[in-house]
């Protein structure tokens, strides 16, 4: 909502209070005159900057939270909560300063709004203040960790792994270490399996798994893709997984990001604000320490995590996993020293699902069957890979996905009741070249379901 | 060029058609400087980033930043953290070039030049240059028949240092001697096969002699070789370097070490140790490329699956697993196929190779052709090779002695009757026997007993060659027009 509109809806009394606060010399009885004068005053950049500084001093941190909130409309309770208003005075004071307006015309109920121009000016104000505080570098760090879409790829790997393997759970409901280790071998981004003793607060399974896997698993579980059976077995729900696979990949990643916000907001209540600040200042390589100082007012320690732990492990590291930022180091890499927001991150943070740019390349996924029984998938396509995984094992993930067909994987697929003939048709149709003769011949033999050694030993 | 980094640190590379249009023409570094091709699978080449290549790049003044910047420019996906770390670790703390003391400056230079009537092929020149410009030791990988001995001789002539040449057997030693005499103008007296008495400036010896011990346990010849103060040690067929020799070989001090091999794969997984001992791979040519250029014969590989007779099948089924390999290897029906193949290729030069000598002897007797095995006297072997080369005999049956370093350039058909279990190296070496350019297309037949342990061994044996870009055609026994 624009400022002029807000003023138009305001009562003469409110306008008069604003004029007094802003020390305007005008006729206090004429609404038109008041409006014109206030508009004129607040349209002057110099005056507005002056006012914003005063408001910042008046309200401190709560002003920053309200003005930089992702929403522009607030209920009365929200405003009072944000302003830490114990009696009516604070709200009244805010309304008389010219940046917050009560409005009941546009909506059916009473809402409080910050006019668009004012909001933009406040953002610019903070932005330039932080830009002066942040420390940038001109050159590129030596080591750069940019995980891009690895999170959704590894999610696919996890789903395929559970679908095609017998995954048992402990009494506590966690996968056995053997399975987790195998998964780490297959994941594009592996994590350390040695977990510290104290772990809670960051999701349902964070006690059992390392952070990234825990987030992926919890996400899958909350979206009904995983089923923990009473017989301590982990299975997937085909319908939920099919629905997930029909979703565009960037949307998948964004949903995982939103899920991260939901889970991590409990221990870190002001996570949104921190990320919003990061988005504003980290368009270049910035020093982690300097941005930490800007965000420090939003970050509190959480039981076993210090403020710095929260910043480094729970925020930066997880944003890196989600492809939103890339981190950089020059030598010692115990903690992220530098980071920068990625193009993908900008998209995920600012666009809604319907407007996320689609990735054309992912539609053209095709595969190559090699004479050494490896299947190379050139671009990610989770539906295609799910089918391949019925009779092949993922050998290595990465920018390319390499599957390996073995006699035992074919036997496993046949035992699970998958259609081998249909699978071979898929290879022929989506393959960039014909299936090599030696591989095709071996498939013929395996299709008979007779193991090559078995016949003679019986 | 498109580069796809994998989580395990390998790089899948797809070279674009037009190299000139690449936008990073001014790259200060290229992929081969820090990575080594390990597999060729159309349309990709798989590279592995090796510590040795990284170190040698660092010695040439390249930094980890150069490598990482290059990777980022071409990578189509995230570059794994572990790979980045490995690059930085390997390239830091590297001594700059030229800091090692050069003891060999004191060594007398040898009067040796490459004969003016001989000229090297392009890739051979490239291999020689690659070794000369590299520091210390290095390995040159060339397919069988591509002229490893030529490259070795040329390097020897260029460096002109006192040289020790280690070869796997006496036949190979004789070949090296003959070769050095025809390709260079070195004085007759300064080159020779080690006779146990005097050390010549160019000494050729076998791995066996190096490791020979007296009863007291001390090594016969090692001390003499160490006193010889060689400036260059050439390890022929370096993949064969026996494991127990690693320690000894490392005691042979030399300014330069040259390893020559066709197949740097070992079933004991110690290929990396060889690299550490001798040096990084400085040059590698692939047989598929050389075939295209006409330097090697194109090869047709066929695997023929032969079922066991009913009687043998029963024996096989009853036998203990440890005996099954032999029963499958000595499948009687293989003989029919061999006879049929020999008739088909009558007039061509055929090598029949196998694992178990008794069965090979039976084949030799039935076909009436000479057979060479470990028990054949040395002189007879050399004589038989000579007759084969001269065309007096057109067929030879060979046991495992022929796996390496036998120069029979005119053979064009190889029949592998049986093999050493799943050895990839043996398969590649045997194929190498017929790779030399003789005009006719070469044929490699591998006879495998159907529905037996041999089939699985076959799959493993062929892996290396398939990864080098060869293809096998599988033919069933029934498809052959045997009658």
């Amino acid at each position: 909502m624009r400022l002029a509109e807000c003023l138009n809806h305001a009562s003469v009394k409110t306008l008069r209070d604003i004029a007094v606060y802003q020390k305007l010399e005008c006729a206090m009885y004429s609404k038109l005159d008041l409006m014109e004068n206030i508009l004129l005053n607040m349209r002057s950049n110099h005056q507005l900057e002056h006012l914003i500084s005063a408001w910042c001093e008046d309200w401190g941190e709560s002003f920053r939270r309200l003005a930089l909130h992702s929403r522009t409309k607030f209920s009365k309770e929200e405003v009072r909560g944000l302003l830490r208003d114990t009696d009516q005075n604070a709200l009244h004071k805010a309304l008389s300063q010219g940046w917050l307006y009560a409005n009941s015309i546009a909506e059916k109920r009473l809402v409080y709004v910050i006019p668009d121009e004012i909001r933009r000016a406040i953002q610019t104000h903070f932005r330039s203040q932080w830009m002066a505080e942040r420390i940038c570098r001109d050159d590129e760090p030596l080591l750069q960790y940019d995980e891009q879409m690895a999170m959704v790829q590894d999610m696919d790997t996890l789903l395929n792994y559970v679908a095609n393997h017998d995954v048992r759970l402990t009494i506590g409901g966690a996968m056995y270490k053997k399975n987790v280790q195998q998964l780490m071998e297959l994941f594009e981004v592996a994590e350390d399996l040695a977990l510290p003793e104290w772990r809670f607060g960051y999701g349902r399974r964070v006690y059992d798994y390392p952070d990234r896997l825990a987030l992926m698993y919890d996400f899958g579980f909350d979206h009904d893709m995983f089923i923990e059976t009473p017989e301590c077995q982990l299975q997937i729900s085909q319908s939920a997984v099919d629905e997930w696979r029909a979703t565009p990949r960037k949307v998948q990643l964004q949903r995982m990001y939103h899920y991260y916000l939901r889970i991590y907001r409990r221990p870190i209540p002001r996570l949104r604000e921190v990320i919003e600040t990061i988005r504003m200042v980290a368009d270049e390589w910035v020093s982690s320490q300097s941005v930490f100082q800007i965000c420090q007012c939003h970050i509190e320690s959480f039981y076993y995590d210090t403020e710095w732990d929260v910043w480094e492990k729970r925020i930066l590291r997880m944003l890196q996993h989600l492809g939103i930022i890339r981190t950089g180091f020059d030598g010692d890499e115990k903690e992220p020293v530098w980071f920068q927001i990625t193009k993908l991150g900008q998209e995920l943070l600012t666009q809604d699902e319907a407007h996320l740019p689609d990735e054309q390349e992912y539609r053209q996924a095709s595969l190559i069957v090699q004479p050494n029984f490896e299947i190379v998938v050139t671009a990610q396509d989770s539906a295609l890979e799910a089918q391949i995984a019925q009779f092949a094992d993922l050998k290595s993930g990465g920018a390319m996905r390499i599957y390996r067909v073995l006699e035992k994987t074919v036997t496993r697929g046949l035992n699970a009741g998958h259609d081998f003939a249909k699978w071979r048709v898929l290879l022929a149709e989506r393959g960039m070249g014909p299936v090599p003769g030696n591989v095709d011949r071996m498939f013929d033999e395996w299709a008979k379901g007779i193991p090559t050694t078995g016949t003679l030993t019986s | 060029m498109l580069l796809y980094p994998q989580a395990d640190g390998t790089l899948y590379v797809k070279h674009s058609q037009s190299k000139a249009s690449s936008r990073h023409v001014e790259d200060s570094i290229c992929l081969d400087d820090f990575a080594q091709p390990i597999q060729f699978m159309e349309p990709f080449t798989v590279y592995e980033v090796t510590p040795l290549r990284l170190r040698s790049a660092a010695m040439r003044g390249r930094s980890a930043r150069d490598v990482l910047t290059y990777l980022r420019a071409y990578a189509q996906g995230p570059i794994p953290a572990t790979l980045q770390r490995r690059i930085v670790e390997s390239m830091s703390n590297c001594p700059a070039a030229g800091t090692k003391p050069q003891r060999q400056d004191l060594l007398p230079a040898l009067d040796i030049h490459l004969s003016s009537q001989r000229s090297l092929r392009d890739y051979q020149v490239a291999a020689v240059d690659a070794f000369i410009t590299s520091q210390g030791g290095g390995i040159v990988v060339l397919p069988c028949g591509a002229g490893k001995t030529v490259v070795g001789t040329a390097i020897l002539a260029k460096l002109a240092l006192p040289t020790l040449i280690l070869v796997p057997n006496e036949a190979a030693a004789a070949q090296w001697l003959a070769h050095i005499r025809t390709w260079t103008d070195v004085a007759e007296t300064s080159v020779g096969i080690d006779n146990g008495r005097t050390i010549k400036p160019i000494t050729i010896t076998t791995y066996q002699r190096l490791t020979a011990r007296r009863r007291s346990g001390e090594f016969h010849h090692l001390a003499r070789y160490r006193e010889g103060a060689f400036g260059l040690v050439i390890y022929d067929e370096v993949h064969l370097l026996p494991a127990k020799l690693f320690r000894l070989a490392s005691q042979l001090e030399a300014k330069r070490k040259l390893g020559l091999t066709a197949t740097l794969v070992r079933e004991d997984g110690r290929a990396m140790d060889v690299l550490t001992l001798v040096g990084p791979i400085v040059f590698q040519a692939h047989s598929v490329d050389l075939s295209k250029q006409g330097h090697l014969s194109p090869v047709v590989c066929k695997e023929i699956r032969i079922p066991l007779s009913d009687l043998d099948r029963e024996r096989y089924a009853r036998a203990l697993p440890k005996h099954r390999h032999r029963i499958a290897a000595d499948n009687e029906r293989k003989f029919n196929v061999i006879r049929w193949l020999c008739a088909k290729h009558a007039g061509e030069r055929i090598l029949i190779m196998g694992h178990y000598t008794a069965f090979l002897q039976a084949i030799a007797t039935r076909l009436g052709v000479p057979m060479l095995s470990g028990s054949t006297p040395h002189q007879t072997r050399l004589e038989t090779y000579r007759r084969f080369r001269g065309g007096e005999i057109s067929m030879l049956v060979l046991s495992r002695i022929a796996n390496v370093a036998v120069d029979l350039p005119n053979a064009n058909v190889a029949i592998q009757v049986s093999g050493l279990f799943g050895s990839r190296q043996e398969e590649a070496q045997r194929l190498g026997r017929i790779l030399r350019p003789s005009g006719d297309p070469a044929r490699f037949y591998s006879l495998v007993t159907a529905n037996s342990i041999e089939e699985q061994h076959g799959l493993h044996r062929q892996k290396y060659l398939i990864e080098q870009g060869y293809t096998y055609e599988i033919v069933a026994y029934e498809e052959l027009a045997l009658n």
Side-chain angles (χ1 to χ4, degrees):
Chain A
M1 198 173 274
R2 299 184 56 79
L3 176 60
E5 221 178 320
C6 292
L7 291 173
N8 206 8
H9 295 314
S11 67
V12 179
K13 181 178 178 309
T14 311
L15 295 179
R16 206 180 289 146
D17 289 344
I18 295 171
V20 170
Y21 173 81
Q22 297 187 358
K23 301 194 180 71
L24 303 179
E25 286 171 12
C26 59
M28 291 291 177
Y29 47 83
S30 155
K31 182 166 181 180
L32 189 66
D33 207 24
L34 279 167
M35 272 173 61
E36 274 177 356
N37 273 285
I38 295 170
L39 260 179
L40 202 64
N41 192 39
M42 303 234 294
R43 274 185 185 160
S44 138
N45 284 339
H46 174 72
Q47 280 296 328
L48 189 57
E49 182 58 31
H50 194 71
L51 284 168
I52 292 171
S53 304
W55 296 333
C56 286
E57 239 167 75
D58 264 11
W59 301 102
E61 194 201 315
S62 18
F63 180 68
R64 170 170 156 185
R65 289 183 61 196
L66 201 54
L68 300 183
H69 205 286
S70 54
R71 277 186 293 124
T72 53
K73 299 189 176 87
F74 307 93
S75 70
K76 188 170 182 175
E77 292 69 29
E78 278 175 316
V79 177
R80 291 188 59 187
L82 282 164
L83 293 180
R84 301 213 178 101
D85 186 13
T86 43
D87 50 50
Q88 288 283 339
N89 286 344
L91 183 57
H92 187 256
K93 185 174 152 196
L95 288 170
S96 70
Q97 290 183 332
W99 56 273
L100 189 69
Y101 295 85
N103 188 318
S104 57
I105 309 293
E107 311 269 328
K108 294 245 159 48
R109 61 199 173 87
L110 180 71
V111 292
Y112 290 84
V113 290
I114 302 174
D116 298 338
E117 303 99 310
I118 309 283
R119 212 172 105 89
R120 267 200 299 278
I122 298 171
Q123 279 176 356
T124 317
H125 170 87
F126 279 114
R127 201 181 138 86
S128 58
Q129 186 187 330
W130 295 334
M131 287 303 194
E133 286 173 29
R134 71 171 192 183
I135 299 170
C136 292
R137 62 184 285 163
D138 302 328
D139 59 336
E140 302 247 308
L142 179 60
L143 291 162
Q144 295 176 18
Y145 300 158
D146 185 350
E147 297 183 11
Q148 302 175 14
M149 308 286 285
M151 191 81 146
V152 286
Q153 270 185 44
D154 286 347
M155 188 75 200
D156 274 343
T157 308
L158 176 61
L159 289 170
N160 285 339
Y161 182 87
V162 175
N164 295 308
H165 291 81
D166 177 31
V167 183
R168 315 206 116 258
L169 298 174
T170 59
I171 299 293
M175 285 184 270
Y176 280 92
K177 198 160 184 180
K178 183 190 82 182
N179 296 112
V180 179
Q181 270 166 347
Q182 283 175 353
L183 279 168
M184 287 303 158
E185 295 277 308
L186 299 175
F187 279 169
E188 219 174 307
V189 177
E191 287 175 285
D192 194 354
L193 291 183
L195 303 178
E197 196 175 341
W198 287 103
R199 286 175 67 79
F200 57 86
Y202 299 98
R204 178 170 169 268
R205 284 273 172 229
V206 79
Y207 179 77
D208 302 300
Y209 307 131
D211 303 332
R212 184 171 179 271
L213 175 60
L215 184 72
M216 283 163 32
Y217 184 90
D218 287 346
F219 178 84
F221 187 80
D222 271 13
H223 289 74
D224 301 325
M225 290 192 271
F226 293 123
I227 304 164
E228 297 170 0
T229 67
E231 296 80 39
C232 281
Q233 200 124 42
L234 187 63
Q235 292 169 351
I236 59 163
S237 143
Q238 200 56 49
S239 58
V241 171
D242 287 345
E243 198 182 318
W244 169 249
R245 289 207 170 113
T247 318
R249 289 161 46 80
K250 275 192 186 169
V251 175
Q252 289 181 343
L253 189 59
Q254 196 180 41
R255 289 195 190 158
M256 294 182 89
Y257 164 66
H258 288 152
Y259 184 78
Y260 157 76
L261 283 183
R262 217 177 87 202
I263 298 297
Y264 277 59
R265 209 156 50 161
R266 283 172 216 155
I268 317 169
R270 310 237 186 115
L271 186 56
R272 262 176 197 285
E273 283 90 341
V274 177
I275 293 174
E276 185 58 18
T277 313
I278 288 176
R279 190 181 75 77
M280 285 165 73
V281 299
D283 54 342
E284 286 176 58
W285 283 105
V286 289
S287 115
S288 162
Q289 183 67 39
S290 70
V291 182
F292 173 66
Q293 267 156 12
I294 296 170
C295 297
Q296 203 166 9
C297 59
H298 294 312
I299 299 171
E300 286 164 19
S301 59
F302 177 76
Y303 297 98
Y304 51 97
D305 277 345
T306 63
E307 284 177 18
W308 180 255
D309 284 341
V310 170
W311 168 250
E312 193 255 309
K313 279 197 220 134
R314 310 296 168 193
I315 301 177
L316 290 191
R317 187 83 52 84
M318 294 311 284
L319 289 181
Q320 178 194 324
H321 291 326
L322 287 157
I324 290 171
I325 61 167
R326 57 172 82 100
T327 54
F329 315 86
D330 282 313
D332 183 34
E333 47 182 291
K334 293 215 173 55
E335 7 188 87
V337 183
W338 302 92
F339 69 91
Q340 181 187 29
I341 199 149
T342 59
K343 184 168 162 282
L344 175 67
Q346 285 285 5
E347 286 171 10
L348 294 180
L349 296 184
T350 53
Q351 309 288 330
D352 53 25
E353 274 190 11
H355 294 102
L356 273 179
D358 202 10
E359 304 151 286
Q360 194 62 40
E361 51 166 322
Y362 289 118
R363 299 215 181 118
Q364 304 165 342
S366 57
L367 52 89
I368 303 164
V369 184
Q370 302 281 14
N372 64 348
F373 293 83
E374 286 178 0
I375 303 175
V376 180
V377 185
T378 54
Q380 279 70 41
D381 176 337
S382 48
L384 175 68
E385 285 186 38
Q387 282 174 288
I388 291 176
Q390 290 174 349
F391 291 98
D393 268 345
L394 184 66
K395 181 189 159 209
S396 96
M400 271 300 187
R401 316 263 290 168
I402 322 280
Y403 287 84
R404 189 166 38 187
V405 195
L406 299 168
E407 189 174 359
K408 66 170 187 191
T409 60
V410 173
T411 315
R412 182 193 72 201
L414 289 171
N415 289 341
H418 298 303
D419 187 346
F420 192 50
K422 197 173 138 201
W423 186 78
R424 290 176 67 182
V425 171
L426 176 88
L427 291 194
E429 278 176 357
R430 303 289 295 266
M432 274 173 31
V435 176
N438 64 328
V439 177
D440 213 34
R441 183 132 190 161
M442 221 52 206
F443 284 174
D444 280 340
E445 272 170 39
W446 289 341
K448 291 179 211 151
I450 308 161
T452 42
T453 47
T455 46
L456 295 173
T457 52
S458 55
Chain B
M1 187 177 82
L2 298 175
L3 198 150
Y4 301 88
Q6 294 299 111
D8 59 8
T10 54
L11 306 170
Y12 277 63
V13 177
K14 193 175 180 180
H15 291 283
S16 56
Q17 297 300 322
S18 53
K19 274 184 181 165
S21 70
S22 153
R23 66 200 163 85
H24 293 269
V25 195
E26 73 288 359
D27 281 332
S28 63
I29 197 164
C30 74
L31 195 56
D32 290 284
D33 286 345
F34 60 88
Q36 181 188 321
I38 51 170
Q39 281 183 25
F40 293 82
M41 311 241 266
E42 283 295 315
F44 301 108
T45 308
V46 188
Y47 282 81
E48 189 182 10
V49 179
T50 61
L52 282 160
R53 287 240 166 153
L54 288 171
R55 227 170 291 153
S56 66
M59 282 176 174
R60 287 198 300 276
R62 304 277 177 248
S63 68
R65 189 174 286 272
D66 292 338
V67 175
L68 288 170
T69 310
Y70 179 90
L71 285 178
R72 274 185 212 119
Y74 290 106
Q76 303 295 306
I79 303 164
T82 45
L83 177 62
Q84 296 193 43
R85 252 176 267 142
R86 200 187 314 153
I87 290 170
V88 172
E89 274 163 25
S90 303
M91 296 189 76
S92 58
N93 310 322
C94 241
T99 50
K100 278 185 186 168
Q102 308 234 325
R103 182 173 77 97
Q104 272 70 25
D105 292 345
L106 310 169
L107 290 175
L110 221 58
D111 186 25
I112 180 171
H113 302 281
L114 215 54
S115 161
S116 52
Q117 294 137 24
R118 305 280 177 164
S119 65
L120 299 180
R121 296 176 191 155
D122 291 348
Y123 67 90
Q124 290 169 339
V125 173
V128 173
D129 289 347
F131 181 79
I132 300 285
T133 52
S134 73
Q135 298 288 320
I139 292 178
V140 171
V141 184
L142 288 176
C144 301
K148 286 190 289 291
T149 324
V150 175
V151 171
T153 312
I155 288 172
L156 166 60
K158 209 153 191 175
L159 288 175
L161 290 168
T163 302
L164 179 67
I165 302 171
L166 292 161
V167 296
N169 55 44
E170 295 293 337
Q175 278 165 26
W176 268 92
L177 183 63
H179 207 87
I180 292 175
R181 288 203 174 133
T182 48
W183 277 69
T184 66
D185 60 357
V186 73
E188 290 259 331
T189 50
S190 48
V191 53
I193 297 174
D194 184 32
N195 56 8
R197 289 184 292 275
T198 49
I199 296 275
K200 298 199 171 166
I202 298 175
T203 300
I204 305 168
T205 188
T206 60
Y207 289 123
Q208 215 170 12
R209 217 175 267 142
L210 181 66
T211 46
R213 288 170 190 247
R214 288 181 218 282
R215 205 171 285 164
S216 59
E218 69 187 284
F219 293 98
H220 263 301
H221 304 290
L222 186 65
R224 284 173 50 233
Y225 295 146
R226 290 178 66 182
E227 279 163 22
F230 294 108
L232 172 68
V233 176
I234 299 178
Y235 297 90
D236 190 21
E237 309 287 351
V238 68
H239 58 275
L240 286 179
L241 202 61
K244 65 176 175 183
L245 199 93
F246 286 168
R247 195 169 43 87
L248 290 181
S250 65
Q251 288 179 19
L252 288 172
E253 273 182 55
K255 183 184 173 188
R256 313 292 304 256
K257 292 174 184 174
L258 169 64
L260 297 170
T261 181
T263 44
L264 200 56
V265 286
R266 292 175 70 103
E267 299 303 339
D268 64 359
R270 297 187 74 165
M272 272 315 285
D273 294 0
V274 175
L275 294 179
T276 322
L277 200 67
V278 179
I281 294 176
V282 290
F283 184 84
Q284 188 163 20
H286 295 280
S287 35
V288 176
D289 295 339
L290 297 185
S291 299
K292 277 183 201 153
Q293 293 163 22
H295 295 309
L296 294 178
S297 342
V299 187
V300 178
C301 301
K302 289 193 179 172
E303 179 184 312
I304 302 178
R305 298 237 170 121
I306 305 159
L308 287 164
S309 66
D310 291 345
L311 195 70
D312 282 339
R313 176 172 298 204
E314 211 166 290
R315 271 176 64 215
Y316 183 91
R318 274 205 223 103
L320 293 170
K322 65 178 175 183
H323 296 140
R324 285 195 178 146
H325 180 255
R326 173 128 205 194
I327 296 173
D330 296 351
N331 181 357
E332 272 299 311
R333 282 193 182 161
K334 283 184 180 176
F335 182 72
N336 301 345
V337 179
I338 293 168
R339 186 149 45 189
W340 181 77
L341 286 172
C342 290
K344 192 175 164 207
H345 294 288
E348 295 178 51
R349 326 247 131 229
I350 305 171
L351 298 179
I352 300 168
M353 296 177 279
H355 191 70
Y356 295 109
T357 45
F359 189 65
L360 287 175
Q361 190 59 61
I363 293 171
T365 319
R366 285 205 228 176
L367 291 174
V369 296
M371 165 178 166
L372 299 182
S373 71
S375 55
T376 316
H378 181 58
Q379 277 310 319
T380 319
R381 284 193 218 179
L382 293 186
E383 176 61 19
T384 315
Y385 288 149
R386 194 192 54 73
R387 283 171 58 207
F388 185 81
R389 269 182 231 127
E392 281 176 50
I393 41 178
S394 63
M395 272 193 247
L396 263 189
V397 179
L398 296 164
S399 78
R400 285 175 55 207
I401 55 158
N403 279 4
V404 285
V406 172
D407 202 11
L408 297 170
N410 51 354
N412 72 323
V413 178
I415 303 171
Q416 174 172 258
V417 180
S418 59
L420 175 67
F421 307 102
S423 169
R424 290 171 289 170
Q425 190 191 86
E426 188 181 74
E427 186 91 356
Q429 288 289 346
R430 282 183 172 167
L431 176 75
R433 300 299 120 224
I434 51 165
L435 271 179
R436 294 139 214 258
S438 56
D440 308 320
R443 288 176 195 280
F444 184 73
Y445 295 99
S446 181
L447 309 191
V448 163
T449 297
N451 292 325
S452 79
I453 189 94
E454 272 199 333
E455 264 186 17
Q456 278 139 44
H457 287 325
L459 276 184
H460 191 254
R461 294 173 67 84
Q462 294 162 11
K463 224 158 115 190
Y464 178 78
L465 289 175
I466 283 174
E467 285 168 358
Q468 295 293 309
Y470 287 96
T471 47
Y472 278 81
E473 193 187 320
I474 298 176
V475 184
Y477 182 68
E478 297 78 28
E479 291 170 28
L480 305 175
L482 280 178
N483 300 312

